[in-house]
């Protein structure tokens, strides 16, 4: 297993390189950029897209400028730069490093990232690493609570559905699961806000943030209650849309094991149904479910947290990445991409190791992976 882990760790290097290269190239052809944002701000045409959520970077964003065709402006390649001193444009390009060739900028970025030096944000007076570390607890908190609750709900429900396959309970619960799977989490979030956060009915839960304004002055019991009060609706919105797949996976996994010969043999020996189910079936059936916990966590963190953080104004990595993309804050964009990619690769490796620990019969080294 050690040799397999080493090979997987070494494989992360070209994987990271390829992902960063593709995204770096795509960014170069995307319309707009940090210089265009500043030009739009100087000309008074900047449009704020996220200031209502953050309030930190809303003044320099949304210019929407892109390179114009050759010959449309003899002094600048940027739309909207007419009338600006070319030396000012050149100074801005030098400030952001755009005066260097593409390949030089890319390999310089990779060398810095290898040392976890992500530079400084273009539009925030902070180091990118400090920004990421500051926002990380919010996103990880959402991901951990959601993953934990999804497993606590899906596993018992999936087992119950497998045991009661074809029953009335199985039919109506399948309808609820399909309903939860079909509707995106952000729609549930909006519905929860309307129902429970002062939309049209009751005002039981806060609409913004993860803690109250006076959180630092509270006692520890009050801090815990306040935190749980704020996180209830975001986590509930993510859980409702996230438990469907895992429930069906658990059910199908148990059904496959229940129909196997060793289960029939155990029953023939006179073992009770609970002994058969939890003493023999559970370990084999739950192998894929438990071992998939790391990948499930990163999936929830990737796909669910961005819009939920935006809707509930939670200052996490999802909202940070969203604002950075809108504002063309490239150091933050690439740093969050690098972090999420590296985290995903590591968690996939942890998932494979968990497979082996749960069932030593699974030997990845013999398969030459």
């Amino acid at each position: 297993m050690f040799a397999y882990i080493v090979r997987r760790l070494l494989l992360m290097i070209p994987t990271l390189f390829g992902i960063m290269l593709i995204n770096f190239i795509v960014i170069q052809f995307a319309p707009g950029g940090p210089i265009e944002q500043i030009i739009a701000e100087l000309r008074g045409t900047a449009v704020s897209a996220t200031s209502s959520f953050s309030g930190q970077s809303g003044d320099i964003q949304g210019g929407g400028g892109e390179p114009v065709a050759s010959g449309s402006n003899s002094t600048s390649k940027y739309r909207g730069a007419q009338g600006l001193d070319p030396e000012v444009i050149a100074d801005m390009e030098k400030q952001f490093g755009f005066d260097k060739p593409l390949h030089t900028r890319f390999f310089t970025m990779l060398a810095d990232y290898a040392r976890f030096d992500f530079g400084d944000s273009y539009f925030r007076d902070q180091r990118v690493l400090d920004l990421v570390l500051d926002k990380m607890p919010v996103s990880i908190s959402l991901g951990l609570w959601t993953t934990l609750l999804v497993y606590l709900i899906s596993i018992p429900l999936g087992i119950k559905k497998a045991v009661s396959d074809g029953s009335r309970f199985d039919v109506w619960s399948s309808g609820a699961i399909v309903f939860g799977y079909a509707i995106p989490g952000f729609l549930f979030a909006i519905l929860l806000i309307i129902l429970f956060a002062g939309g049209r009915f009751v005002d039981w839960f806060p609409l913004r943030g993860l803690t109250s304004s006076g959180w630092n002055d509270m006692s520890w019991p009050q801090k815990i209650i306040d935190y749980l009060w704020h996180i209830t609706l975001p986590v509930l919105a993510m859980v409702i849309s996230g438990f469907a797949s895992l429930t069906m996976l658990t059910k199908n996994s148990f059904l496959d094991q229940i129909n196997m010969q060793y289960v029939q043999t155990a029953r023939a020996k006179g073992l009770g149904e609970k002994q058969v189910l939890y003493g023999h079936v559970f370990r084999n059936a739950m192998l894929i479910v438990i071992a998939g916990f790391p990948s499930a966590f990163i999936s929830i963190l990737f796909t669910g947290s961005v819009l939920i953080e935006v809707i509930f104004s939670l200052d996490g990595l999802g909202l940070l990445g969203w604002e950075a993309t809108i504002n063309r804050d490239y150091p933050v964009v690439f740093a969050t991409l690098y972090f999420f990619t590296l985290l995903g690769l590591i968690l996939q490796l942890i998932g494979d190791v968990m497979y082996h620990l749960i069932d030593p019969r699974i030997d990845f080294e013999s398969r030459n992976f």
Side-chain angles (χ1 to χ4, degrees):
M1 193 65 184
F2 177 75
Y4 171 76
I5 293 175
V6 172
R7 288 198 300 270
R8 284 290 299 271
L9 290 174
L10 293 176
L11 185 62
M12 289 181 187
I13 298 175
T15 303
L16 273 173
F17 178 85
I19 292 174
M20 297 302 294
L21 176 61
I22 292 173
N23 284 273
F24 184 85
I25 293 174
V26 170
I27 286 293
Q28 308 312 310
F29 293 98
I35 294 180
E36 289 89 335
Q37 307 286 28
I38 295 178
I39 291 173
E41 175 66 19
L42 293 175
R43 296 179 64 86
T45 58
V47 178
S48 174
T50 57
S51 60
S52 59
F53 299 117
S54 170
Q56 299 182 53
S57 57
D59 290 335
I60 305 178
Q61 58 185 320
E66 65 260 8
V68 294
S70 176
S72 63
N73 187 351
S74 60
T75 60
S76 175
K77 62 182 178 180
Y78 303 106
R79 177 178 297 171
Q82 291 87 348
L84 294 180
D85 191 337
E87 293 184 0
V88 174
I89 302 296
D91 289 340
M92 286 192 291
E93 289 183 335
K94 185 176 181 180
Q95 176 186 355
F96 291 115
F98 294 154
D99 59 327
K100 300 175 182 177
L102 287 177
H103 67 278
T104 302
R105 289 158 46 198
F106 177 70
F107 285 106
T108 300
M109 181 185 71
L110 289 185
D112 292 337
Y113 282 15
R115 305 191 307 270
F116 286 91
D117 179 10
F118 301 109
D120 299 322
S121 169
Y122 285 165
F123 302 114
R124 298 171 183 247
D125 189 20
Q126 281 184 273
R127 295 171 58 238
V128 174
L129 183 59
D130 293 336
L131 275 173
V132 172
L133 293 178
D134 183 50
K135 313 300 182 184
M136 191 186 304
V138 175
S139 296
I140 291 181
S141 178
L142 282 175
L144 284 177
W145 277 113
T146 302
T147 306
L148 178 63
L149 291 176
V150 164
Y151 268 74
L152 290 176
I153 294 172
S154 299
I155 292 176
L157 181 59
I159 295 174
K160 176 65 175 177
K161 286 176 63 63
V163 174
S164 308
D165 185 42
S167 66
R168 182 176 300 177
F169 170 81
D170 182 43
V171 172
W172 72 257
S173 61
S174 295
I177 289 172
V178 171
F179 179 78
Y181 183 79
I183 300 181
F186 72 90
L187 288 182
F188 278 119
I190 295 173
L191 177 62
L192 291 174
I193 289 174
I194 294 173
L195 294 177
F196 303 113
R200 288 182 177 272
F201 296 91
V202 297
D203 189 8
W204 290 347
F205 295 95
L207 182 59
R208 300 171 60 89
L210 204 57
T211 57
S212 299
S213 56
W215 191 80
N216 292 326
D217 299 326
M218 299 178 183
S219 62
W220 277 109
Q222 290 175 325
K223 287 182 177 180
I224 294 174
I225 293 174
D226 183 74
Y227 164 76
L228 294 176
W229 182 47
H230 281 76
I231 205 172
T232 297
L233 292 187
V235 170
L236 184 58
M238 295 174 68
V239 167
I240 290 175
S241 61
F243 79 99
S245 298
L246 186 59
T247 300
M248 298 308 298
L249 176 63
T250 303
K251 176 189 174 181
N252 294 332
S253 181
F254 267 80
L255 285 177
D256 289 340
Q257 295 296 321
I258 288 174
N259 295 324
M260 288 191 173
Q261 185 63 43
Y262 76 91
V263 176
Q264 305 301 325
T265 303
R267 286 172 175 166
K269 290 181 178 180
L271 295 179
E273 194 64 26
K274 288 187 177 180
Q275 287 179 298
V276 173
L277 187 62
Y278 294 102
H280 293 74
V281 176
F282 187 82
R283 178 183 175 183
N284 294 327
M286 291 304 296
L287 173 63
I288 189 173
V289 177
I290 296 176
F293 181 88
S295 59
F297 169 71
I298 198 65
S299 176
I300 290 173
L301 197 62
F302 277 153
T303 60
S305 64
V306 176
L307 288 176
I308 297 299
E309 288 181 15
V310 171
I311 291 172
F312 288 98
S313 301
L314 301 176
D315 201 10
L317 288 176
L319 182 58
L320 175 66
W322 168 263
E323 290 184 343
T325 303
I326 297 297
N327 301 337
R328 302 301 192 268
D329 196 345
Y330 292 160
V332 177
V333 171
F334 286 119
T336 52
L337 172 67
Y338 180 86
F339 169 76
F340 276 124
T341 303
L342 183 60
L343 181 61
L345 292 173
I346 292 174
L347 288 179
Q348 285 181 352
L349 176 59
I350 293 175
D352 289 345
V353 173
M354 289 182 65
Y355 271 110
H356 179 73
L357 294 177
I358 296 173
D359 190 349
R361 294 173 299 176
I362 298 178
D363 186 4
F364 291 103
E365 291 189 26
S366 63
R367 302 184 184 188
N368 296 320
F369 287 154

